[in-house]
Amino acid sequence: MATAIGDRAPAVIRLREEDNVAVAARGIDAGTLLTLDGLAVETAEPIRPGHKVALTAIRQGQAVLKYGQVIGFASADIPAGTWVHVHNLRADLFERDYAFATERPEPPANEAPRTFRGILRPDGRVGTRNYVAVISTVNCSASVSKYVADRFRDESWKRDYPNIDGVFAITHKGGCGLQFEGPDHEQLQRVLAGFATHPNVAAYVLIGLGCEVGFAGHLVESRHLVTLGGARSRGESNGPGPPRVLNIQEQGGIARTVEAAVEAVSRLMPAADSWKRTDQPASKLVVGLECGGSDGNSGVTANPALGVAADLIVAQGGSAVLAETPEIYGAEHLLTRRAVNEDVGRKLLERIKWWEWYTGVFGAEINNNPSPGNKEGGLTTIYEKSLGAVAKGGATALVDVLHYAEPVTTPGLVFMDTPGYDPASLTGMVAGGCNVLVFTTGRGSVSGLKPSPCVKVATNTPMFERLSDDMDLDAGTVLAGEPVEAVGRRLFDLILDVADGSPTKSELQGVGEEEFAPWSIGPTL
């Protein structure tokens, strides 16, 4: 770690001894003398927070190292003290040694068992929220589904049903114009079923038009959907049964469907309210790990802190779910080495190869990132962004690789194949059963996704203060000297508090319905 002479807090951070660049912890003026490990470097120009400065002279074509890994190659000679970014750094392809399962870490050290107040469901999963969902099978029934949920917005029903967190609508732009039982149909059904049977959903109704490809009857039959029923009380149970399905064509139009659905939701509320919180072990946590609006400090502060929290979740016997396949590109070899066995490592590589093919079909490239906002925040290449993104996964073994929206059933660090687009990625992880989400951001994000609470972690303090109504935790304190381990433990405690029922900032803002965005992988017919 380097500090400007005379300053107490670090001006720049060198992540590994072998790195030839460092990251600015704050804005640095030209002519500032930086020192570390006997090396003295004077900045040749201003360096913005999150951006990189060369610690040594880097020749054209030479690898630029951050995290001790290649993030690209110099496109021109880079003198020491110079700003390193898109004007002098390029992302050439380079060979990566996957070395499957050769660096499998030991299981994490035992931690004192932790608990939270959650809702134990009949299948053994635990909810962190208790919602009633109105699920649209097709875009044609989206407005009707919203109208139904709108009838419960005033929460006057809370007096009678205090254990229900809310009624929300799941709407989307698909459900028809796709191949029956083709890849997109199967994937959408997997998503909708994942939300219907989510541990944070106590009851639901399905609303369709009636003639769509993804019609409700097929969803119910193919995914074996049933209602949850009521919680056991005095040895009795209002057991599961078939879900209520309403099709607009059969009900006689919008108005009649809305009234019938409102009545159906009202009938479900006593059973939904019967589910109550009890002490549950932290092993029941299934936490989705997401980053978006990243900056140059994402891989320095918030993502490593989330990695610490992920390791603590795994140590408790829970599951931590890493995702966004295009945004681990260039760093996937770090995960294949950590795979619990070669088969798991090869499953991840197969997903990478699929994405190379998939993007190529459309004339795109998997390495088309970072976004303009990422670059403004200091990220230069997809390799740099990916290395920082992988830090969210901590240091435990990779135990499984899942397709989009597949159920998470294995304790430990799991990878789910999702797009890098945040709403689609979050939708897949929630469909897979994540009962809490953690979203790190450097530029700022206002995401949330019902029914799972979403914890927002800022990478830098100025943004945290600017978006104080939307951020839950400031990891920018790392730049002021707080150890990453300490921030990670604070984040783990916050995750438990949120699982216990404490609202996140996005929940207080009412965010979480419009962000439902299933991934569509094929043509619209």
Side-chain angles (χ1 to χ4, degrees), residues 32 39 93 131 161 209 221 231 286 312 319 432 479 488:
T32 300
L39 178 67
L93 292 175
Y131 277 103
Y161 306 115
L209 178 61
E221 292 176 10
V286 183
L312 292 171
S319 300
L479 301 177

Side-chain angles (χ1 to χ4, degrees), residues 27-112:
I28 302 171
D29 294 331
T32 300
L33 183 63
L34 308 174
T35 62
L36 75 162
D37 302 327
L39 178 67
V41 180
E42 183 175 320
T43 55
E45 55 196 313
I47 310 296
R48 285 181 286 166
H51 286 250
K52 297 174 290 298
V53 59
L55 297 176
T56 62
I58 305 172
R59 298 185 309 277
Q60 182 176 354
Q62 183 179 345
V64 176
L65 301 179
K66 180 181 175 184
Y67 309 103
Q69 301 288 328
V70 175
I71 64 168
F73 300 87
S75 58
D77 288 340
I78 303 174
T82 300
W83 177 38
V84 178
H85 202 33
V86 293
H87 60 289
N88 55 14
L89 177 60
R90 63 176 187 263
D92 294 349
L93 292 175
F94 64 98
E95 291 296 322
R96 298 182 284 281
D97 181 4
Y98 293 104
F100 299 102
T102 56
E103 299 176 12
R104 185 171 65 248
E106 293 295 322
N110 290 331
E111 292 273 335

Side-chain angles (χ1 to χ4, degrees), residues 37 58-59 61 89 109 133 159 168 176 183 210 311 335-336 398 407 409 428 450 453 471 478 487 498 501 509 523:
D37 302 327
I58 305 172
R59 298 185 309 277
L89 177 60
R159 294 189 299 270
F168 75 104
C176 207
D311 289 348
L335 292 172
T336 61
L398 178 67
T409 59
K450 294 178 180 177
M471 296 294 113
V478 171
V487 178
V498 167
Q509 296 275 18

Side-chain angles (χ1 to χ4, degrees), residues 431-475:
C434 289
N435 52 15
V436 177
L437 301 169
V438 182
F439 193 122
T440 66
T441 180
R443 304 286 293 168
S445 173
V446 294
S447 286
L449 184 61
K450 294 178 180 177
S452 294
C454 184
V455 177
K456 299 288 198 339
V457 183
T459 74
N460 62 88
T461 300
M463 187 275 288
F464 176 80
E465 293 174 345
R466 189 169 62 252
L467 276 69
S468 59
D469 291 338
D470 303 289
M471 296 294 113
D472 296 283
L473 186 139
D474 178 17

Side-chain angles (χ1 to χ4, degrees), residues 187-205:
Q187 185 158 280
L188 179 60
Q189 289 205 114
R190 198 159 64 234
V191 170
L192 295 178
F195 274 72
T197 62
H198 196 279
N200 290 0
V201 173
Y204 63 95
V205 297

Side-chain angles (χ1 to χ4, degrees), residues 167-239:
V167 178
F168 75 104
I170 294 174
T171 65
H172 53 97
K173 306 302 181 187
C176 207
L178 41 79
Q179 179 186 354
F180 183 71
E181 294 188 339
D184 263 329
H185 186 198
E186 289 294 320
Q187 185 158 280
L188 179 60
Q189 289 205 114
R190 198 159 64 234
V191 170
L192 295 178
F195 274 72
T197 62
H198 196 279
N200 290 0
V201 173
Y204 63 95
V205 297
L206 298 169
I207 300 180
L209 178 61
C211 59
E212 62 269 22
V213 171
F215 66 97
H218 186 271
L219 174 65
V220 171
E221 292 176 10
S222 64
R223 296 290 160 176
H224 311 292
L225 295 185
V226 295
T227 61
L228 192 56
R232 291 188 177 275
S233 176
R234 302 183 184 89
E236 299 179 355
S237 174
N238 175 14

Side-chain angles (χ1 to χ4, degrees), residues 339-370:
V340 70
N341 56 49
E342 184 172 342
D343 287 344
V344 169
R346 290 197 177 278
K347 284 172 69 176
L348 179 61
L349 184 57
E350 184 274 329
R351 290 288 81 204
I352 292 289
K353 296 301 182 185
W354 181 89
W355 272 93
E356 290 177 334
W357 167 82
Y358 176 63
T359 53
V361 167
F362 301 99
E365 294 180 353
I366 189 173
N367 63 347
N368 69 339
N369 257 312

